[in-house]
Amino acid sequence: MKLRVCAGLAVVALIVSGCSSPDSDTPGAENSGSGKTAPPTSSAAQTTSPGSSTTPGTPVGGGSITCLEDSVVQDAIGGLTPFMASGWQLDEQGDPCATLAWATARIAGATSSSPETVLFFHDNTYLGTATAEQYAFTTVVDQLPDTVAVSYKWINPGDANANPTGGPALVRYQWNGSSVDMLDQLPPEVLNPPRANPVPSPAPGPAPGPAPAGNVDPATGSVCVENSARDAALASLPPFEGRGWIDGTRSYPCLPLVTFLTRPDGRNMNDDPSYLLFFHDGQYLGMANDVPYPNMSVADSGYDFITIAYRWRVPGDDPVSPGGGPALVRYQWNGSSVETIGAIPVEVTG
């Protein structure tokens, strides 16, 4: 865990207070914007060791602020909702005795493009996260006693998964005496990142007919995928080295989003290429990838989603143990189509 104390942030007038609920799609701290900004100053960020001369949990400067204890930070991180079945762990922490203290958390086993969340504290009390959703490429870059500046970046189409060219955009959060004000807006590219790898349209063919009557699972309310529909979809895929395709990994066939991760018939190699096929109400929708990619695996799945881990070889890898990744991409049924959350890395797509 890294401990950082930053200085040199420009401070603006306070505007709006409050944090959104975890169910909101808006940032955790709200902002109406005043447009009044003090002239910026700058200084190098200073790094301190965990062995600070001020003891967490004790008042500072006459007893007005209680320093942040490690246990409070760990309890706050432990209470965060897992991201795609992955728990959170402490990444960095700022001045524990600041009026507005902060820490950042990343998912276990994170890569450079994994989401990160910023947590705020005051007087040894957890306040909440900076935003209701977690975003990749999020970094605390500066701090005053009552203000924290966070840098947000985003991937543009064509970017490598670890090298975003979007941003940075700086957003400041400030303690107003009773809550946290968000002094700058999150860019729309952070809230709705460009889709570098949208789910392709289904392969050309006859328009699907209405869902067949019957074969409805009463537990899910969805029409089940028949073997004949699966086999027809597999037969429509281009052969691989003269081989057809079979379903290597399948979901329960009566969900709102049914998926099949394919592999070449007659092969069972660790680096076999795969297609990811989608079905809804018994009908074939299409595939996630226009060409089959090796080293795809299911990282998580649920009622209406599947998360695929993409890996790739780097120099020096042996054939069966790719060292690149994993990069997690989630595919979710939204009621009318499949949405892609994340992007297949260019290291995979070439």
Side-chain angles (χ1 to χ4, degrees), residues 21 35 41 44 54 82 114 141 176 183 231 267 273 279 295 320 327 342 344:
S21 70
T41 61
T54 307
S114 296
V141 295
N176 68 8
L183 303 178
D231 293 343
R267 284 174 53 113
F279 293 78
N295 305 306
V320 297
I344 302 176

Side-chain angles (χ1 to χ4, degrees), residues 47-345:
T47 303
T48 64
S49 66
S52 171
S53 60
T54 307
T55 303
T58 59
V60 179
S64 59
I65 294 295
T66 301
C67 293
L68 179 60
E69 297 178 347
D70 291 343
S71 60
V72 175
V73 177
Q74 293 297 339
D75 287 347
I77 293 174
L80 296 175
T81 302
F83 180 84
M84 297 184 181
S86 294
W88 296 85
Q89 59 190 21
L90 180 62
D91 183 32
E92 290 191 314
Q93 184 176 338
D95 181 1
C97 302
T99 302
L100 181 62
W102 62 270
T104 57
R106 306 193 75 183
I107 58 173
T111 66
S112 57
S113 60
S114 296
E116 185 147 350
T117 191
V118 181
L119 302 90
F120 290 132
F121 305 83
H122 170 73
D123 208 16
N124 203 32
T125 300
Y126 174 49
L127 303 175
T129 55
T131 53
E133 300 293 332
Q134 300 83 35
Y135 303 106
F137 315 113
T138 301
T139 309
V140 174
V141 295
D142 218 346
Q143 179 180 30
L144 284 178
D146 64 351
T147 310
V148 174
V150 181
S151 167
Y152 296 91
K153 296 182 178 180
W154 56 91
I155 289 179
N156 286 318
D159 287 350
N161 217 41
N163 295 296
T165 61
L170 295 183
V171 177
R172 294 159 294 175
Y173 301 87
Q174 190 171 64
W175 176 252
N176 68 8
S178 60
S179 60
V180 178
D181 291 331
M182 187 179 191
L183 303 178
D184 306 284
Q185 295 279 5
L186 277 172
E189 295 87 351
V190 173
L191 298 171
N192 298 289
R195 294 288 177 86
N197 297 94
V199 174
S201 300
N215 302 319
V216 175
D217 186 332
T220 64
S222 296
V223 177
C224 300
V225 176
E226 300 288 346
N227 289 341
S228 58
R230 176 206 60 193
D231 293 343
L234 291 170
S236 71
L237 301 175
F240 177 76
E241 297 180 352
R243 300 172 184 268
W245 298 88
I246 61 174
D247 59 315
T249 304
R250 69 184 76 177
S251 64
Y252 181 61
C254 307
L255 295 173
L257 181 64
V258 177
T259 60
F260 294 94
L261 190 63
T262 71
R263 61 181 176 85
D265 191 9
R267 284 174 53 113
N268 191 17
M269 309 286 289
N270 288 337
D271 60 347
D272 278 342
S274 298
Y275 287 105
L276 178 64
L277 309 183
F278 300 122
F279 293 78
H280 171 72
D281 263 348
Q283 302 294 298
Y284 176 46
L285 301 177
M287 49 196 176
N289 41 322
D290 286 322
V291 296
Y293 299 127
N295 305 306
M296 294 171 59
S297 60
V298 177
D300 192 19
S301 63
Y303 180 72
D304 60 358
F305 76 92
I306 187 170
T307 302
I308 297 296
Y310 291 89
R311 293 178 170 83
W312 56 93
R313 292 186 188 177
V314 297
D317 283 350
D318 63 67
V320 297
S321 301
L328 300 180
V329 180
R330 179 171 175 143
Y331 303 93
Q332 185 150 12
W333 178 252
N334 66 7
S336 60
S337 61
V338 180
E339 289 190 2
T340 306
I341 304 172
I344 302 176

